[in-house]
Amino acid sequence: MRFILSALAAVAGAVLLTIGLLQFSEAAAIDSITASGESQSDAPVMVLDEKVLSSHAGAQSIVISGDGPIVVAIGRTNDVHGWVGEAKHDAISVGPSVDGHPDQESLEFTVTGSETEVPDPLNSDLWMETIEGDGELTINTVVAPGYSMLIASDGAHPAPNKVAITWPFGGYAPLSGPLIVAGAVLLLVAGLLLWWALAGRRRAQRRAVVAPVAPAKPVDAAQREHAARDHEQWTAVQWDDELAESVVAAAADAQRDHEIDTELESAPDLDLSEPFQPRNAEEEPLPTSEIPIIRSAAPESNEQDAASDDAEPAVVDEPVLVDEPGAQDAAESATDSGAPVAEPEAEPEPETQAEAGPEPETQAEEPEPADSPESADKPEPVIETPAAPSSDDDESKWKRPRGRNRSQAPKRVFFVAPALLVGALTLAGCAPQYWPQSWTGTEIAPTGTPTSEADAAIIDEGAHYPVLSVERADKIIADAGARAKEADKNRDAKLLEPRFTGDALAERKALYKAQSADGELPGPVPFPTGKVAYLIPDATQEWPRTAFAVVNATSDGSADAVPFGAMLVQQSPREGYRITSLVQFEPGVQLPDAAPVEIGATPLPELADGLAQNPDKIAAAYADIIAKGDKSEHAKNFTAEHDALRKQVNDEYRKSERDGLDAEVAKLDFSYAATDSEPVGVTALDGGAIVAVSIHETETLSAVNDRSRISVAGRTAALAGTDTSEFGFERVYTDQVLFYIPPKATGGKVSFLGTSQAMTSARQLTKDEVNTNG
């Protein structure tokens, strides 16, 4: 059975090993895979999704060709799909192999959407990288997981229609490793089973060696009595099951040989005239391993006693195999006592009989009379098998010259080859590309290298991607600065609209209007043109998106330049980031620690409940502090340190303004309130938030009687369109204020970071708005 199991294991192992090696060699023969295709549509946009780019391992070599200019934009997958929206576009997917070639795949194009014209992708702020070409463009890059590629011309014309992507192929065969190792293990098991079977057979052969036994002579009662007395002097044998089985088998073989000899004696052509002469020990001996050992049935100590008693030697009725010392004595005792002898269960195997060696040739003879003098002098010979050879005999046996029996030679080399084979194949299959990805946990099939460790962490954790990089923020700020410079020169607010919105745009519009009425009035503070030194973008997949950037006032980044803080908002995917708040920091303020740009920050609405103060109520609370000073109920929640606006707009300022008026002609009232602008902000690393809000300072100069005439000049007159009124004037200052709100967990006061103040409107009052005595 063990031979059969060994053969089955060997066949199964060879089959598995062959299949695994075929997969291994086939994978190693392919060094690259190319997927190509051509679109027949006139869609203005083509989307190369991350699933296609990461369908094979390694860097991508992308060849794009078509008629006219080519624009390729690489961005977050969600951003690409958000920008495309309802535009008509080709969605690319990987199709089957071409003509059965595993290294050539097809690209399939599916047209969706209805919008036939889109903006130029180059103007979008979503992309991490943009590449331009004409006619044909080759890109060698690694697009990381989570990123996709948008291909277009200029938005108005059809996108390029031919795409080919080539990946290096590193021998990815996920089943070859398990097949190779399983096959090697089965071969090893087959070897062990074979060794076990051979070892078991050798042990059985050593136990089953049967020595020939001479035919028994008839004995009389005196001989039996003498044999019984001698038997009592022998040492008893400790029997076990194995020895008993061997003795019974030997007895059966001896009985069968005795029957054959009896038939030969009764044959008519057999010469029995010669008396039986046992082989003399002095004659040429047979090899000890091939002939039985003949010895006296009685112990040495009893030989003289047996001779002196003139007793007849005992004759064994049945042949007995002696495999252990004393086994023959026990067998003879069992025979003399008349105990039954069990029949053997099966015939001995041919190999066992062959290894027993040739039987000694004997001549048949007439049995001697029981009272013969010779038989009285000679003890009855007893046949005994030779003792098992020692380990030294085994070692010397297999080293004999050729032609001798080498069946006992150790087969160490038989086990070395499978062991080396298993080790080599196991090591060959240890590479992760030869094992299923679910087993190794190694990213093999989905390829690409994350652009940073932060991106890798985001991918593993499934968090949102940040919406802006420092490089892109620098471009946005540079573009805003260029537009602001052009608008300031031409006093044209329309040039600002692509990059400005909210209070930042309203402030510049008011200044341009005042300058247009009075060219002597100063213009707005020049927009900072330096690099972004501090950036906190939102990490979200939704819109609107917010980012906060700190920009130096000069491009050389000199230490004496006070930086600006710009709050940027992107309302939709196809819109650019626009500056909604631009303030100048107060000297000495300190910003909180920010999360790495690659990770981004939690959007403010998601963290508002965890702040010490509600961002929606900050503007109104601060307006009350400006109006009432320390008497305000909100003053305890705000720190006065670095708060330049509170120092500028206070009771002293209001008193000095009123003292400059003629109380009999006009009066001056002050009011402060939050604007309609919603707070905009980003969260810091400690759980706090940087929030931009704005308030209105309204100063109302009204006549006290119907004979009053009120005159104004400068910016008030420029914005109101007149410098004289019988009812009065109202002027509004818009204060953009930047605060830091600490987290609720740690507590603390709201800190003032910076401000920007400008008169944004002025008008003449109506009669219904004044209370005169006349």
Side-chain angles (χ1 to χ4, degrees):
M1 186 64 183
R2 281 171 283 186
F3 286 104
I4 296 176
L5 293 177
S6 176
L8 292 176
V11 172
V15 171
L16 294 178
L17 196 61
T18 301
I19 297 174
L21 290 176
L22 287 176
Q23 290 190 5
F24 179 88
S25 60
E26 182 180 355
I30 303 174
D31 58 359
S32 65
I33 294 180
T34 299
S36 60
E38 181 176 355
S39 172
Q40 304 300 325
S41 72
D42 58 352
V45 178
M46 185 178 292
V47 176
L48 195 55
D49 194 78
E50 63 171 315
K51 294 180 180 179
V52 177
L53 295 170
S54 62
S55 59
H56 296 287
Q60 303 97 7
S61 178
I62 305 170
V63 179
I64 304 169
S65 57
D67 297 330
I70 300 174
V71 175
V72 175
I74 301 174
R76 314 273 186 196
T77 298
N78 184 76
D79 294 351
V80 171
H81 290 294
W83 190 92
V84 171
E86 297 298 325
K88 184 178 181 181
H89 67 281
D90 284 308
I92 303 176
S93 60
V94 178
S97 299
V98 178
D99 297 331
H101 296 288
D103 59 340
Q104 296 181 12
E105 296 178 345
S106 61
L107 292 179
E108 298 179 348
F109 300 84
T110 304
V111 181
T112 59
S114 58
E115 188 179 356
T116 58
E117 187 173 342
V118 295
D120 190 343
L122 285 175
N123 298 327
S124 176
D125 293 332
L126 293 177
W127 318 132
M128 295 297 170
E129 182 180 3
T130 55
I131 306 169
E132 297 181 76
D134 193 1
E136 182 173 299
L137 178 63
T138 300
I139 304 172
N140 295 311
T141 185
V142 177
V143 180
Y147 290 81
S148 295
M149 187 176 290
L150 183 142
I151 303 171
S153 178
D154 57 1
H157 297 84
N161 60 344
K162 295 181 181 180
V163 178
I165 311 170
T166 301
W167 298 270
F169 189 72
Y172 183 64
L175 294 180
S176 63
L179 290 174
I180 291 175
V181 173
V185 170
L186 285 177
L187 288 179
L188 180 60
V189 171
L192 293 176
L193 288 173
L194 181 60
W195 171 82
W196 189 19
L198 293 176
R201 171 167 289 186
R202 287 197 298 268
R203 287 195 299 270
Q205 291 172 354
R206 287 197 296 268
R207 290 196 302 265
V209 173
V210 179
V213 180
K217 298 179 181 180
V219 295
D220 56 10
Q223 291 175 332
R224 290 181 181 276
E225 182 179 359
H226 180 73
R229 286 198 306 269
D230 290 344
H231 176 70
E232 291 174 357
Q233 300 176 13
W234 294 354
T235 304
V237 178
Q238 297 296 328
W239 290 80
D240 55 23
D241 295 339
E242 184 177 347
L243 182 59
E245 292 177 2
S246 64
V247 171
V248 171
D253 293 341
Q255 177 65 27
R256 186 164 52 256
D257 293 340
H258 174 63
E259 292 174 358
I260 295 173
D261 293 339
T262 303
E263 293 177 0
L264 292 176
E265 290 176 359
S266 61
D269 59 346
L270 190 61
D271 185 10
L272 300 178
S273 61
E274 293 295 329
F276 172 77
Q277 295 294 335
R279 190 181 184 92
N280 195 327
E282 297 179 357
E283 295 178 4
E284 181 181 356
L286 291 173
T288 56
S289 61
E290 300 178 358
I291 63 172
I293 298 175
I294 303 176
R295 62 167 184 156
S296 174
E300 295 181 358
S301 60
N302 296 331
E303 290 181 356
Q304 297 178 357
D305 295 341
S308 60
D309 292 342
D310 296 330
E312 294 294 332
V315 179
V316 181
D317 291 336
E318 297 292 337
V320 178
L321 170 67
V322 180
D323 193 42
E324 297 291 341
Q328 180 185 358
D329 301 341
E332 290 178 354
S333 175
T335 304
D336 294 343
S337 61
V341 179
E343 290 296 328
E345 296 182 0
E347 292 292 335
E349 297 180 358
E351 292 83 353
T352 304
Q353 296 178 0
E355 288 191 12
E359 296 184 0
E361 296 181 359
T362 58
Q363 295 180 357
E365 65 176 356
E366 294 291 333
E368 295 182 359
D371 54 353
S372 174
E374 290 182 359
S375 63
D377 295 337
K378 291 190 299 181
E380 180 67 16
V382 178
I383 307 304
E384 181 186 53
T385 58
S390 63
S391 60
D392 295 338
D393 295 338
D394 286 348
E395 186 70 15
S396 61
K397 182 176 180 180
W398 74 274
K399 292 183 179 179
R400 291 174 183 171
R402 285 186 71 181
R404 296 301 182 112
N405 186 4
R406 299 174 181 267
S407 61
Q408 306 301 324
K411 305 297 188 298
R412 294 185 180 90
V413 178
F414 177 79
F415 303 104
V416 172
L420 293 177
L421 179 62
V422 171
L425 294 177
T426 303
L427 291 176
C430 286
Q433 64 265 28
Y434 302 124
W435 293 85
Q437 180 183 340
S438 59
W439 294 14
T440 62
T442 304
E443 195 78 9
I444 296 297
T447 184
T449 303
T451 56
S452 66
E453 294 181 1
D455 275 358
I458 292 169
I459 293 171
D460 293 340
E461 296 295 331
H464 295 313
Y465 298 112
V467 298
L468 197 62
S469 65
V470 175
E471 294 77 8
R472 178 58 63 178
D474 282 336
K475 293 180 179 179
I476 293 171
I477 295 299
D479 184 52
R483 292 178 181 275
K485 183 177 181 181
E486 185 69 16
D488 292 349
K489 178 180 178 181
N490 298 315
R491 299 169 185 171
D492 186 0
K494 291 183 178 180
L495 299 176
L496 298 173
E497 290 179 358
R499 287 300 181 188
F500 288 81
T501 187
D503 295 327
L505 179 61
E507 178 179 314
R508 266 183 155 72
K509 279 185 175 180
L511 296 177
Y512 294 160
K513 183 179 180 180
Q515 278 189 313
S516 297
D518 185 356
E520 299 296 327
L521 294 174
V525 177
F527 189 87
T529 57
K531 295 292 184 178
V532 174
Y534 180 96
L535 180 65
I536 304 179
D538 274 347
T540 180
Q541 303 281 37
E542 306 299 330
W543 280 270
R545 295 176 173 181
T546 306
F548 175 72
V550 176
V551 187
N552 292 323
T554 57
S555 58
D556 59 1
S558 57
D560 57 347
V562 179
F564 285 76
M567 197 70 70
L568 301 96
V569 176
Q570 186 183 38
Q571 293 293 337
S572 65
R574 293 186 184 178
E575 291 186 34
Y577 278 93
R578 296 195 285 180
I579 299 173
T580 185
S581 176
L582 182 66
V583 302
Q584 192 167 16
F585 286 103
E586 290 298 316
V589 300
Q590 185 174 1
L591 294 175
D593 293 334
V597 177
E598 295 83 357
I599 296 178
T602 304
L604 181 62
E606 298 181 15
L607 199 63
D609 295 339
L611 299 176
Q613 299 293 323
N614 191 330
D616 293 333
K617 299 179 180 180
I618 289 293
Y622 187 71
D624 188 68
I625 293 174
I626 294 296
K628 301 177 181 178
D630 295 337
K631 297 179 181 179
S632 172
E633 59 178 343
H634 304 288
K636 60 182 179 181
N637 298 325
F638 289 75
T639 178
E641 186 179 7
H642 306 301
D643 193 343
L645 185 59
R646 193 191 303 191
K647 296 176 181 178
Q648 178 182 350
V649 183
N650 51 23
D651 290 340
E652 293 181 2
Y653 165 76
R654 289 186 283 269
K655 183 177 182 301
S656 63
E657 289 292 314
R658 287 174 177 146
D659 290 346
L661 297 176
D662 186 352
E664 295 181 358
V665 176
K667 63 177 181 178
L668 183 60
D669 295 320
F670 298 88
S671 64
Y672 306 91
T675 65
D676 295 335
S677 302
E678 295 182 357
V680 180
V682 294
T683 58
L685 190 61
D686 61 356
I690 299 175
V691 180
V693 297
S694 60
I695 64 173
H696 280 160
E697 300 179 39
T698 303
E699 298 180 358
T700 304
L701 182 63
S702 58
V704 296
N705 54 63
D706 57 358
R707 298 183 300 275
S708 300
R709 292 292 182 270
I710 301 175
S711 297
V712 293
R715 198 177 302 275
T716 304
L719 293 177
T722 181
D723 57 359
T724 304
S725 173
E726 58 180 325
F727 303 110
F729 292 90
E730 179 189 81
R731 58 189 181 188
V732 179
Y733 292 88
T734 300
D735 300 332
Q736 302 176 62
V737 188
L738 193 66
F739 293 105
Y740 167 69
I741 306 175
K744 184 184 295 184
T746 59
K749 296 182 178 182
V750 178
S751 302
F752 183 91
L753 298 178
T755 185
S756 177
Q757 185 184 50
M759 183 187 297
T760 55
S761 67
R763 67 182 181 88
Q764 182 180 188
L765 297 177
T766 65
K767 181 179 180 180
D768 296 335
E769 293 177 311
V770 297
N771 183 15
T772 62
N773 296 327

